[in-house]
Amino acid sequence: MPFADLGLSDELLRAVGESGYTEPTPIQAATIPSVLMMRDIIGIAQTGTGKTAAFVLPMIDILGHGRSRALMPRSLILEPTRELAAQVAENFEKYGKYHKLSMALLIGGVQMGDQIKALEKGVDVLIATPGRLMDLFERGKILLTQCNLLVIDEADRMLDMGFIPDIENICTKLPANRQTLLFSATMPPPIKKLADKFLSNPKTIEVARPATANTNITQWVVPVGSASHAKRAALRQLLGQEEVKTAIIFCNRKTTVRELNKSLRSHGFSSGEIHGDMEQPQRIAELERFKKGEINILVASDVAARGLDIKGVSHVFNFDAPWHPDDYIHRIGRTGRAGATGVAYTFSSSADAENIENIEKLTGMKIPRLEGGPPPEAEEKPRARAGRDEKPKRARAASGRKAAAEETPEAPAPRAEKPARREEPRSRREETRPRHDEPRPRRGREQDDGPDEGWNGPVPDFLSVVLTGN
């Protein structure tokens, strides 16, 4: 089915054709006609299947009629991250170039001044993250009473980031008779509850079973040792393969992102990093470097896991198995996009085992293990065990020497040498050892020395009196 059969305008079809697309993806073919008919939509599809164009294209035609008013956007698109919001804005610019639509992007990390100026001129499309939108709303810089079309994109990610209360608050500020489109790769119960509350008789479009991975992606679990250097060594080995052209490496922590990128660069890899602690201009610049091919490896936190459309990513590596199983679907969805094939590796140490088990429960499949050889730290383990075994040997040898000293008739001689040994310069730990060993010989002298009562003078006569009972 070509795009021309979906009911889109000639100007929009021209822009789509110039972008190189001729046939819609399944989610686009199923969604676009229903959106044009002003139906509420619940769209469930795997990441990388064209969900963004599924709502951007019909929105452009719907908003082509009418005009905007100051501070009153006609439509609102909510995105969980700044990167996703910027990407949706790029789609509007690309597909809406033959329509005279105004647009504003409300995201954190940039100055409010330009955003407020754009709102004052009036916008047809407002693309925003919930935090910045609520900030401007509370300042009285925006009114939502004329917003008749709402899109909630990546709803499950909104849930993970704690944005659901903000979304519920935003929905109460919108007209009750609006059109609402909700898109998500997974459908956990809180999202279903949100849809039941704020959508009116929605049409559910399910291209694939929720929480399933793209069949174009080959998935592997790579068992590694528990030490961090074992993961890094295994990662470098896989990155050295010829078929790894471009790769995104996901980590659970921002500190891990920084450390891993530093390690890769020190080993000669062309890598960059993106995480939540970076300023927005830095994040955008790093993404542009990756898209242009200036670097071919991007180390990222989950800030880059959702919806980012970066063409030609051949491999995804989960350096850490994600804490939330849903994030696994979005991470590996950065490869195998638009019908291409991809490969996803997930490293599995003892700390990752439970997370991988939860992923396999969610997806309903057992991810095959890549048994490519011994873990990088396999040779170090015997050495570590040998080091641990040396301590008992030394302890046994020391106890043997003590036993031998006690059996020999010259046992008092070593006790006479103890003061000399205490005077030798030793570490704090070694100085405590003689004190620790003192009770044993003292028990041997207990009958000779008597109890230590603290009196060395003559014993008074009354202390020699013995009481006897009748």
Side-chain angles (χ1 to χ4, degrees), residues 198 246 259 347:
F198 293 107
T246 55
E259 292 169 359
F347 294 106

Side-chain angles (χ1 to χ4, degrees), residues 46-48 51 80-81 83-84 87 154 156-157 160-161 185 248-252 274-275 283 287 298-310 316-318 322 324 326-335 337:
Q46 301 160 345
T47 185
K51 286 185 295 180
T81 65
E83 286 76 19
L84 276 175
Q87 181 174 292
E154 300 286 353
D156 49 353
R157 180 60 170 166
D160 294 341
M161 299 178 70
I248 299 179
I249 305 169
F250 288 106
C251 306
N252 287 347
I274 177 173
H275 52 78
R283 289 157 67 170
L287 282 173
L298 184 65
V299 188
S301 61
D302 282 310
V303 73
R306 302 262 178 158
L308 289 184
D309 188 8
I310 303 174
V316 166
F317 295 88
N318 289 310
H324 300 289
D326 292 348
D327 286 337
Y328 176 80
I329 304 297
H330 293 276
R331 284 185 179 187
I332 69 173
R334 298 314 97 212
T335 186
R337 300 179 72 83

Side-chain angles (χ1 to χ4, degrees), residues 131-142 166 169:
R132 178 53 64 94
L133 177 65
M134 290 304 299
D135 191 2
L136 289 175
F137 183 85
E138 291 170 356
R139 293 168 183 251
K141 301 298 183 182
I142 184 172
D166 286 340
N169 190 14

Side-chain angles (χ1 to χ4, degrees), residues 286-325:
E286 202 74 353
L287 282 173
E288 287 300 318
R289 290 180 63 206
F290 185 65
K291 291 179 180 180
K292 293 178 181 179
E294 297 177 10
I295 55 176
N296 70 326
I297 298 172
L298 184 65
V299 188
S301 61
D302 282 310
V303 73
R306 302 262 178 158
L308 289 184
D309 188 8
I310 303 174
K311 296 181 180 179
V313 177
S314 62
H315 289 70
V316 166
F317 295 88
N318 289 310
F319 189 77
D320 301 312
W323 290 314
H324 300 289

